[in-house]
Amino acid sequence: MSERARRLLLTAALSLAACGDPAPGRPPAPPRAPAAPAARSPAPAPRSQRDGVGTARAASAEGQSDDPAAARAGDDAAQPREQAFPTTCAVDADCGYDPASERCGADPRLNRQPPVTDQGIVCYCDAGACALLRVLPVPCEGDHDCAVAHEPRPHPVRATRERPHEKGRPCRDLTMSTACERTNICTLHRHACPRR
């Protein structure tokens, strides 16, 4: 077979292959599997879901007013206000202590404080109004370091030359005395004396 015949035959075979017919002497090509559908991108979220965050933000923004007076009013409502208790009194028993405001008042709901022994708070009636006395602990090394202060109400203080440690016998010479306890703090003792 001449070279020209070979070329013609090869050209014809290629043409047939391109058209889909099998070339002579070759088995037909196996059928191709259908192409898998292209993966689709997820569908966009519905507008209601997309706007959920924005709606929540808008709602929170609506809760905040641009009016400074309204904002202050909201803050005032959130914070508990200090109640102004009446202070008019006749005797010490009328006065009680309010821990929230750290003041004494004449409201019966306020805490009545026991008499001070070594430290604490005294609410007393002074000139018709409740007053506050805060007694701090007085360190000591012996009884001679302690003394009784009667004003404004009895409480222990550090002994001085003008106010020395009390001497005498309980109930005969004095009704109150001080002692330096094991805690090294001056303590006031009120003696239970029979009425004369």
Side-chain angles (χ1 to χ4, degrees):
M1 185 181 290
S2 66
E3 185 67 26
R4 184 174 179 182
R6 285 183 185 172
R7 286 183 181 178
L8 287 173
L9 192 60
L10 183 60
T11 303
L14 289 174
S15 299
L16 289 173
C19 293
D21 293 336
R26 289 188 181 179
R32 292 184 180 181
R40 293 184 181 179
S41 60
R47 182 177 179 82
S48 60
Q49 291 181 4
R50 280 182 305 182
D51 294 344
V53 175
T55 306
R57 290 179 182 166
S60 63
E62 288 176 7
Q64 299 174 351
S65 174
D66 293 337
D67 184 9
R72 281 196 301 271
D75 291 343
D76 291 344
Q79 297 176 354
R81 296 180 181 179
E82 289 185 359
Q83 295 182 357
F85 294 107
T87 59
T88 305
C89 60
V91 293
D92 288 354
D94 294 338
C95 301
Y97 181 66
D98 176 35
S101 62
E102 297 184 348
R103 297 175 185 171
C104 291
D107 194 301
R109 295 172 295 178
L110 299 181
N111 300 331
R112 271 32 186 189
Q113 303 298 309
V116 169
T117 55
D118 53 6
Q119 58 186 305
I121 291 171
V122 179
C123 287
Y124 63 100
C125 189
D126 180 36
C130 292
L132 171 69
L133 170 66
R134 192 181 301 273
V135 179
L136 300 177
V138 180
C140 58
E141 294 181 3
D143 291 348
H144 59 278
D145 291 331
C146 305
V148 178
H150 292 274
E151 297 298 331
R153 294 297 182 269
H155 62 282
V157 294
R158 187 164 186 81
T160 61
R161 183 176 297 178
E162 294 77 18
R163 186 186 284 129
H165 177 68
E166 55 283 343
K167 295 179 181 178
R169 289 179 291 182
C171 296
R172 179 174 179 178
D173 302 317
L174 45 87
T175 57
M176 285 182 280
S177 62
T178 53
C180 186
E181 301 294 341
R182 297 178 184 178
T183 55
N184 294 104
I185 294 177
C186 291
T187 303
L188 176 65
H189 297 280
R190 292 173 173 82
H191 303 291
C193 300
R195 293 183 179 181
R196 295 181 182 178

